[in-house]
Amino acid sequence: MSNVVSIDGPVIVTRELPRQLQLFEQVLGMQRIYDEQLDAEQTAAWFGVAQQTARILLLETPGTGIGVQLVEFSPGSDTVIRVGGVGIASDALKMIDFFTSDLAAAKQAFRRHDFELVTEGAQMQLPDGNRFIEAHIKGPDGVMIAAILSLTAPAANFVSITGRVFSEVQSSSGPVSDFEPVRHFYEDVLGIAMGLSYEFESKAFSDMIGAGKTTKIRANNYGRVVEDVMLGIIHYGLPPGSFESLRERARPPHRGVVGVRLTVRDLSAVLECCAQHAIEVAVPAASLQVAGRECRSAVVRGPHGVWHFLREAPKTAVD
């Protein structure tokens, strides 16, 4: 049995907090769960950074436990992990994916709040026959949003919220420079089941990412398909040396999607397994308090540089 109870959503470092709140609250329909201020000692315990304080906000889609955590450091950093959001650079999360019941209304909502549509709607067909239209939107701090309309399978096959313009976060994904170590990390170290896997060639997709030619895309998505924010790893089929690795830039307090939050049953067991497989512990285990609750937490860094913020689930009588 995997020690991972749930995959709860991405962590975004921002210096444009009002715009991030506009994006996730006003456009994507999330609600604020907590808004906390951390002193320098607490910030170091959460994020492993020195001489910084932090404001942390948790936003969730109503009716789910899924959302995003926004982090505003002070004094912060001017460095953006993925400048412009787009491109083929690897080893950092890139997209935050939502399904939509009405792509025209979704695009109108982004435009109404002056968010740029990078791609109006590229059509994609996966090997299983499922077809989608995907629009890409540029958010603050290099964050990219995908609004996905399913043309074949019901949206309920992928998300729990289907009757609104936007679902909860369906997945958070990014390209990797070396596929196998990341696959091993998710499957053998964290023990997360693979929910979706596909390979395809698509001129529309290759054009959308700026590959310069049609390439063979390989992708695995980890987690429960509906219940979790799936973690997507993608190899664009490009040769080594033809793209930039963002691994060393993808860390707090740098701006952008730095990682993802996971709830685990036994934090010590997860960290022991990581040690056995030489997985980097970016922030050691500590007892943290947020919104009046205490929890044990640590951060491990995957082979592709993505930070995994682990929170131990509260013990119950059954446990």
Side-chain angles (χ1 to χ4, degrees):
M1 178 186 291
S2 172
N3 247 312
V4 176
V5 176
S6 60
I7 306 170
D8 307 316
V11 178
I12 300 167
V13 176
T14 181
R15 290 195 79 173
E16 301 179 69
L17 183 58
R19 283 294 277 166
Q20 293 285 7
L21 292 173
Q22 195 172 37
L23 174 61
F24 287 104
E25 291 183 333
Q26 297 181 33
V27 178
L28 294 165
M30 293 186 182
Q31 293 181 347
R32 205 172 305 188
I33 304 302
Y34 63 69
D35 183 345
E36 299 274 322
Q37 190 72 39
L38 305 181
D39 63 23
E41 183 179 355
Q42 293 169 317
T43 301
W46 272 70
F47 300 102
V49 295
Q51 298 180 324
Q52 299 273 352
T53 60
R55 180 182 176 187
I56 57 171
L57 301 91
L58 180 64
L59 312 178
E60 289 181 352
T61 299
T64 77
I66 286 174
V68 299
Q69 186 172 71
L70 301 176
V71 185
E72 182 183 50
F73 290 106
S74 179
S77 171
D78 290 329
T79 300
V80 176
I81 296 169
R82 188 178 290 277
V83 178
V86 296
I88 58 174
S90 295
D91 303 325
L93 289 172
K94 179 178 179 180
M95 301 300 301
I96 304 175
D97 300 332
F98 295 78
F99 271 67
T100 179
S101 60
D102 186 335
L103 187 58
K107 291 191 288 188
Q108 184 180 28
F110 289 115
R111 288 196 181 99
R112 189 182 308 122
H113 291 85
D114 297 320
F115 290 107
E116 177 187 351
L117 273 73
V118 179
T119 305
E120 289 278 345
Q123 293 204 29
M124 291 183 294
Q125 181 167 329
L126 299 184
D128 62 6
N130 282 326
R131 292 184 296 116
F132 306 91
I133 300 178
E134 186 168 324
H136 288 180
I137 298 88
K138 187 181 293 187
D141 303 295
V143 172
M144 291 293 295
I145 302 294
I148 303 168
L149 179 68
S150 178
L151 299 176
T152 48
N157 288 5
F158 306 98
V159 291
S160 63
I161 303 298
T162 60
R164 305 172 195 162
V165 175
F166 295 104
S167 70
E168 73 276 24
V169 179
Q170 187 268 333
S171 64
S172 187
S173 61
V176 299
S177 56
D178 193 350
F179 200 89
E180 284 305 311
V182 188
R183 182 200 63 76
H184 166 73
F185 170 66
Y186 284 129
E187 294 181 12
D188 301 325
V189 181
L190 294 185
I192 304 175
M194 183 173 63
L196 298 170
S197 179
Y198 46 88
E199 294 185 7
F200 66 94
E201 293 184 20
S202 167
K203 183 180 185 303
F205 187 89
S206 297
D207 290 346
M208 182 172 64
I209 64 174
K213 60 181 179 179
T214 300
T215 62
K216 186 172 185 178
I217 309 298
R218 178 187 179 190
N220 287 358
N221 281 16
Y222 291 95
R224 297 170 297 172
V225 176
V226 175
E227 298 89 347
D228 286 325
V229 175
M230 301 195 80
L231 299 178
I233 62 172
I234 307 170
H235 195 279
Y236 286 154
L238 296 169
S242 64
F243 52 85
E244 179 186 8
S245 173
L246 302 175
R247 190 182 192 280
E248 296 311 310
R249 205 155 71 213
R251 61 171 67 236
H254 297 163
R255 298 161 55 191
V257 188
V258 296
V260 64
R261 295 174 298 114
L262 301 92
T263 301
V264 301
R265 288 185 179 85
D266 185 337
L267 181 62
S268 296
V270 174
L271 294 178
E272 182 179 345
C273 190
C274 286
Q276 291 171 356
H277 291 270
I279 298 298
E280 178 187 350
V281 177
V283 183
S287 292
L288 307 177
Q289 191 166 38
V290 64
R293 296 183 179 181
E294 188 170 301
C295 66
R296 291 186 71 232
S297 174
V299 181
V300 298
R301 195 177 185 211
H304 51 329
V306 172
W307 285 41
H308 296 71
F309 294 82
L310 309 177
R311 181 187 70 90
E312 189 170 66
K315 301 296 183 184
T316 66
V318 175
D319 295 335

